[in-house]
Amino acid sequence: VERAETTRRVGEVLALVGLSRYEAQQPHQLSGGEQQRVALARAIVIRPRVLLFDEPLSNLDAKLRVQMREEIRRLQKELSITAVYVTHDQEEAMAVSDRIAVMSQGAVLQQGRAEDLYHRPASAFVAQFIGRVNFLRGRIAERGAGGAVVEVAGARLRVTGDAGPRAGEAARVAIRPEAVGIDPDGPAARGDVAGRVVARTFLGEKVDYQVRTGDELLLVTCPDQGPGALLGEGQAVRLRLPPDRIALLPAAE
């Protein structure tokens, strides 16, 4: 009876990870993704209360990593198992987690939902770990209830939020590449920043531009607009820095 129960549970778990009818396969007959599924099946067949994943997808290629992280997320939800997932891949962390804790030197620097950490990082370390980010030097010109006016890259921007440096203090401005608007040079709107494209990288569905503005070099990411829409290297442009997408951090950390 015990053997029959074990066989039944093994079959159920293999079905869960998409490996039905693989019971007789030898390890060398399995692909990398299938081997990762077997390891996952071995972990959940004992019905644990907590699962610990330590860089489980580090040896897989990019396509398999995406496939397996979706599988892990599906199984975790389906089985209602608490999972602690350790990774240095920020995209992977955001894809599989309900909550993220960013750690450095054994200390938790910030924890919360992926979107909170991404849009409202508490430090430069967190901002850099959770995705790509531009840092600009600025100064707090005014500070009032619920916000501040920051001088950055030749523009004055009103930023909401009470956190950050006080009036008159230097500040570090953090803004994500996809939050920066970019247009060919033309009439300037209030708050626009003049710049010049120094490099571009076409990535299919998006384009990365490196833009020089004064002493600062910004990375700007925008969706591909179709044939003939690329901005040229050396072209003068105007940048828009949406105040609601800016995070104010201390000048030195």
Side-chain angles (χ1 to χ4, degrees):
V1 175
E2 183 176 342
R3 182 180 181 85
E5 174 64 13
T6 299
T7 301
R8 184 188 65 80
R9 286 176 57 186
V10 168
E12 288 179 350
V13 170
L14 288 176
L16 274 175
V17 299
L19 292 178
S20 295
R21 302 185 301 277
Y22 277 66
E23 293 91 337
Q25 297 280 48
Q26 297 297 312
H28 69 273
Q29 297 174 304
L30 302 176
S31 67
E34 289 166 347
Q35 291 178 21
Q36 290 294 102
R37 289 169 183 263
V38 170
L40 186 56
R42 286 172 173 165
I44 64 177
V45 74
I46 61 173
R47 300 176 181 174
R49 294 177 61 186
V50 179
L51 272 175
L52 172 61
F53 295 95
D54 188 1
E55 301 279 5
L57 310 180
S58 58
N59 294 323
L60 300 181
D61 61 38
K63 186 176 181 179
L64 272 178
R65 286 174 73 97
V66 172
Q67 180 182 344
M68 283 304 303
R69 78 188 187 199
E70 292 173 352
E71 190 71 11
I72 288 172
R73 182 64 168 165
R74 179 187 67 81
L75 285 171
Q76 185 268 329
K77 288 294 188 182
E78 186 171 329
L79 299 173
S80 298
I81 297 176
T82 298
V84 179
Y85 195 104
V86 180
T87 180
H88 288 84
D89 186 317
Q90 67 269 17
E91 185 175 306
E92 196 171 288
M94 289 189 284
V96 303
S97 302
D98 294 306
R99 295 183 64 82
I100 297 174
V102 179
M103 300 184 66
S104 177
Q105 304 295 317
V108 175
L109 302 185
Q110 188 176 355
Q111 60 178 310
R113 300 178 305 166
E115 55 265 40
D116 294 333
L117 271 62
Y118 189 81
H119 294 300
R120 290 179 289 278
S123 67
F125 182 93
V126 173
Q128 288 176 306
F129 183 82
I130 303 293
R132 301 186 300 174
V133 64
N134 292 300
F135 290 119
L136 301 171
R137 295 185 298 273
R139 188 183 71 86
I140 304 299
E142 302 174 20
R143 169 65 78 177
V149 175
V150 58
E151 296 176 343
V152 56
R156 286 171 61 93
L157 303 173
R158 181 167 293 279
V159 181
T160 58
D162 295 320
R166 294 174 296 182
E169 294 182 340
R172 178 181 289 188
V173 171
I175 186 167
R176 300 292 180 183
E178 71 277 6
V180 182
I182 183 169
D183 296 302
D185 196 18
R190 185 176 180 180
D192 281 1
V193 176
R196 189 171 298 275
V197 176
V198 298
R200 74 179 186 195
T201 305
F202 177 72
L203 298 170
E205 78 280 4
K206 64 182 179 180
V207 185
D208 279 351
Y209 294 101
Q210 292 184 45
V211 180
R212 174 72 64 184
T213 172
D215 295 331
E216 308 281 7
L217 186 65
L218 277 75
L219 177 64
V220 181
T221 299
C222 59
D224 174 46
Q225 300 298 315
L230 291 178
L231 300 171
E233 294 184 7
Q235 184 171 348
V237 295
R238 303 207 70 83
L239 303 179
R240 289 171 278 110
L241 309 179
D244 61 344
R245 301 294 298 277
I246 286 175
L248 290 180
L249 305 172
E253 296 183 354

